[in-house]
Amino acid sequence: MVRTVVPMVLTIVLMAIGLLHFIWAFSPWPMKDAMTFTKTIGGSDDGKMPPAPSTVLVGLALIGGAALTLMVNESIPAIGPDWLRLVGMYGLTVVLLARGLGGYFMNSGAASEFQRLNTVLYSPLCVALAALSGIVAAAASRR
């Protein structure tokens, strides 16, 4: 299960969230407008979409994390030395955990819709992804 289900779930979710960030760089989808988007996903109530370059970079980082997961799990051909991929996997774990736990501090001053979704969905999802990433990293360390 550690070599099959955990990495695949992590990869699929990271890819999906990464692709959403690419969409969000150019569109407020699935929200009807930028104001609704920023209140629920962006955290502010000013209606100003996050800058496209930074949103694309987040998307690239998430998709890179998905590819790294597959490389560490030996599901796709690997690039670079084993130790560097392993450091990257632990780094991914730390970043996801920091977003998950630190996300609760993002609620201060944020739009109420974002606060609610961040508390019940965004931050817990990041903590769960950090746990999956840590499992993949630990399993690869033992090989």
Side-chain angles (χ1 to χ4, degrees), residues 25-90:
F26 308 102
S27 162
W29 183 88
M31 305 303 167
K32 63 181 178 178
D33 57 27
M35 182 63 76
T36 306
F37 177 91
T38 59
K39 283 184 177 182
T40 55
I41 297 172
S44 68
D45 54 6
D46 62 2
K48 186 173 185 268
M49 294 290 286
S54 60
T55 305
V56 168
L57 283 175
V58 171
L60 285 171
L62 289 163
I63 291 172
L68 178 64
T69 299
L70 293 175
M71 283 188 257
V72 167
N73 194 51
E74 300 173 345
S75 299
I76 63 173
I79 299 170
D82 291 344
W83 68 268
L84 187 57
R85 287 190 306 278
L86 196 55
V87 167
M89 200 70 211
Y90 280 111

Side-chain angles (χ1 to χ4, degrees), residues 89-100 130 133:
M89 200 70 211
Y90 280 111
L92 176 64
T93 302
V94 169
V95 168
L96 289 169
L97 187 61
R99 168 53 182 95
S133 179

Side-chain angles (χ1 to χ4, degrees), residues 111-135:
S112 61
E113 295 92 336
F114 176 82
Q115 289 179 15
R116 183 179 53 77
L117 285 170
N118 189 46
T119 300
V120 300
L121 178 62
Y122 307 148
S123 288
L125 176 62
C126 288
V127 171
L129 293 174
L132 294 176
S133 179
I135 290 168

Side-chain angles (χ1 to χ4, degrees), residues 2-15:
V2 171
R3 291 282 310 232
T4 56
V5 175
V6 172
M8 288 305 131
V9 168
L10 179 61
T11 298
I12 289 166
V13 174
L14 288 175
M15 286 290 292

